[in-house]
Amino acid sequence: MTSDDSLNLIVVEDSELDYELLLAMLAREGLKPRTTRVEDEAGMRDAFAKAQVDAVITDHNLPRFDSFASLKVAKSIDADMPVIVLSGEMSEDLAVATLHAGADDFVLKTRMFRIAAALQHSLQAAAARREARTAVSALAQSEAKLHALTQHLERVKEDERRAIAQEIHDDIGGALTALKFELVRLTRAMTDKQTRPLLDSISQLLESAVVASHRIQHALRPAVLDAGLLAALEWLTRDFGERSGIKVDLIFNREEFEIAPDRAAALYRVTQEALTNVQKHARATRVHVQIFALTDEIALEIADDGQGFEPGSLQATPGFGVRGMIERARGLGGWAEVSSSRRRGTTVMFSIPPQPADTSAEGARKNGD
Ligand SMILES: Nc1ncnc2c1ncn2[C@@H]1O[C@H](COP(=O)(O)OP(=O)(O)OP(=O)(O)O)[C@@H](O)[C@H]1O
Ligand SMILES: [Mg+2]
């Protein structure tokens, strides 16, 4: 809090006598603030413009002004400014009304001895309000930064995966294909029967290397851009089922629908992460993957029959999968939710508009061309 002698107050008061009494009451409690006495809005604004003000003490009833108007001026300059209303009239309604209007305290002129304590309390309350406001805005800022960072991370991950898939395709894929041709030529050229089993075994190894490289490429860069989202999900769920031994079914309400490529990739990635979570955490025997396509919403649901987890434990997890889903949805103008309870399985819901808001067909029509 400001030290007493550096306090700067605006006193809205028309009566010289009451003003002197107020100063005397403050002095009696050891308070010797700098004060500016004003009688109207212009005077108040002038005083605010001239110096940093710590509090306003305002008479309720002035010839050209009243405490509601002075409160309004003070709060318009600083929403946290402490304001104390002085009144000659004992009225509960008035006291309540001024407190509602934002006054920190209401002091009767007949009980002016309360003013010093009221001022101290009001200054403390204002300091607490300012602190809370700063904390809230700092929290909002760091939350916004976290959202931006997570979305950035998702984009970077996607770019990185695409680049690695491309490298595997161009370098390793190219070399493997060339090797296959060379092996065929070698097999033709070798007439020695003893080398045959060896060549066959090399051929098989080569074939599994080709399959592995395709699988890695698929996982890194979903083929949604080429074959479509449903084809990619069919591949993903089939591959997951084969590798994990967990039964998966894929259900969709429409064979075909329009969706922007980055949004199709997001649906694919969320399914991929949800299935990875099922394998890592769920101990499930079955998973249902559902895609429900509407005109302005594509809803994805992945539900397993596994052991689930305590609702509320998600906040504490260091994992990034679920956070990534939520941020992805938020970044695309949609929402995501993971619900679970012990032994009831887990359901991931992810819903996004199929097109970005402003470039959708609807938006273009509305823009009237
Ligand atoms: N299908 C599921 N069944 C049971 N528990 C799950 C399931 N999905 C998520 N969880 C729980 O939620 C937590 C958070 O999942 P999240 O995907 O965010 O993190 P993670 O899988 O542990 O790590 P990461 O995804 O970053 O590799 C998991 O640690 C797990 O306890
Ligand atoms: Mg995970």
Side-chain angles (χ1 to χ4, degrees):
M1 204 179 86
T2 326
S3 77
D4 300 336
D5 52 355
S6 66
L7 267 183
N8 190 17
L9 308 182
I10 293 179
V11 181
V12 188
E13 178 62 84
D14 60 317
S15 152
E16 182 70 41
L17 215 64
D18 285 352
Y19 177 62
E20 292 301 334
L21 178 64
L22 169 75
L23 294 188
M25 285 298 169
L26 289 175
R28 215 175 68 165
E29 299 297 323
L31 295 179
K32 293 199 176 61
R34 277 176 288 131
T35 53
T36 310
R37 182 164 77 90
V38 301
E39 294 186 36
D40 53 20
E41 176 167 349
M44 262 187 104
R45 291 200 181 275
D46 199 37
F48 270 118
K50 280 195 180 125
Q52 171 83 33
V53 175
D54 297 303
V56 173
I57 299 178
T58 175
D59 187 10
H60 169 60
N61 209 349
L62 295 98
R64 285 169 290 148
F65 209 38
D66 69 13
S67 63
F68 292 108
S70 58
L71 259 164
K72 218 167 164 184
V73 175
K75 298 287 176 184
S76 73
I77 286 167
D78 174 359
D80 294 320
M81 176 65 55
V83 179
I84 298 169
V85 175
L86 291 179
S87 169
E89 155 193 4
M90 169 78 181
S91 154
E92 202 175 318
D93 288 349
L94 176 63
V96 170
T98 53
L99 294 180
H100 267 294
D104 285 83
D105 211 336
F106 182 87
V107 176
L108 282 173
K109 285 191 172 176
T110 49
R111 292 167 59 85
M112 196 69 113
F113 59 86
R114 272 195 61 231
I115 193 68
L119 179 60
Q120 303 271 28
H121 284 150
S122 307
L123 288 167
Q124 275 165 5
R129 282 200 296 271
R130 287 193 180 109
E131 221 165 89
R133 207 184 285 272
T134 316
V136 166
S137 89
L139 186 66
Q141 265 181 20
S142 63
E143 269 187 357
K145 270 192 205 147
L146 186 66
H147 293 322
L149 194 67
T150 316
Q151 282 169 18
H152 174 71
L153 200 66
E154 291 298 330
R155 269 198 303 277
V156 170
K157 253 161 58 182
E158 203 61 47
D159 290 349
E160 200 78 327
R161 283 170 175 151
R162 197 176 300 126
I164 297 171
Q166 195 66 47
E167 294 266 314
I168 293 176
H169 175 266
D170 296 351
D171 292 352
I172 299 179
L176 289 177
T177 311
L179 261 175
K180 260 166 91 173
F181 277 111
E182 298 294 66
L183 191 64
V184 171
R185 280 179 48 195
L186 184 66
T187 310
R188 275 201 207 114
M190 297 291 275
T191 46
D192 179 2
K193 284 224 163 45
Q194 275 184 326
T195 56
R196 198 62 204 215
L198 185 60
L199 287 172
D200 285 347
S201 146
I202 293 175
S203 170
Q204 271 170 20
L205 283 172
L206 201 52
E207 199 48 49
S208 50
V210 170
V211 170
S213 119
H214 280 164
R215 186 168 48 76
I216 295 167
Q217 283 179 64
H218 261 291
L220 286 168
R221 183 183 168 278
V224 287
L225 305 186
D226 324 324
L229 174 63
L230 293 180
L233 287 178
E234 262 163 2
W235 176 84
L236 179 66
T237 46
R238 195 177 339 108
D239 180 64
F240 173 81
E242 281 164 13
R243 279 189 297 110
S244 66
I246 301 170
K247 282 199 188 107
V248 198
D249 51 29
L250 175 67
I251 305 156
F252 36 87
N253 67 328
R254 278 160 62 178
E255 293 277 341
E256 278 184 12
F257 48 86
E258 290 285 315
I259 180 163
D262 63 324
R263 284 155 194 264
L267 288 160
Y268 180 89
R269 289 296 181 210
V270 168
T271 313
Q272 198 174 30
E273 169 60 21
L275 290 177
T276 306
N277 276 350
V278 171
Q279 195 173 9
K280 264 165 66 178
H281 310 294
R283 298 196 192 172
T285 58
R286 264 206 102 85
V287 192
H288 298 285
V289 178
Q290 271 192 68
I291 287 268
F292 205 74
L294 301 166
T295 319
D296 50 7
E297 180 190 4
I298 310 284
L300 166 70
E301 190 180 296
I302 301 114
D304 68 59
D305 65 350
Q307 61 181 357
F309 58 90
E310 292 296 340
S313 70
L314 267 187
Q315 300 292 337
T317 170
F320 223 73
V322 171
R323 284 194 182 95
M325 289 176 194
I326 292 169
E327 289 306 330
R328 242 180 224 282
R330 193 194 291 253
L332 296 171
W335 57 271
E337 204 177 277
V338 179
S339 57
S340 185
S341 57
R342 279 271 172 232
R343 286 182 286 281
R344 282 280 187 78
T346 301
T347 301
V348 172
M349 283 185 288
F350 182 88
S351 165
I352 50 170
Q355 306 291 338
D358 46 349
T359 58
S360 69
E362 190 59 36
R365 260 204 307 282
K366 271 187 199 146
N367 291 339
D369 42 359

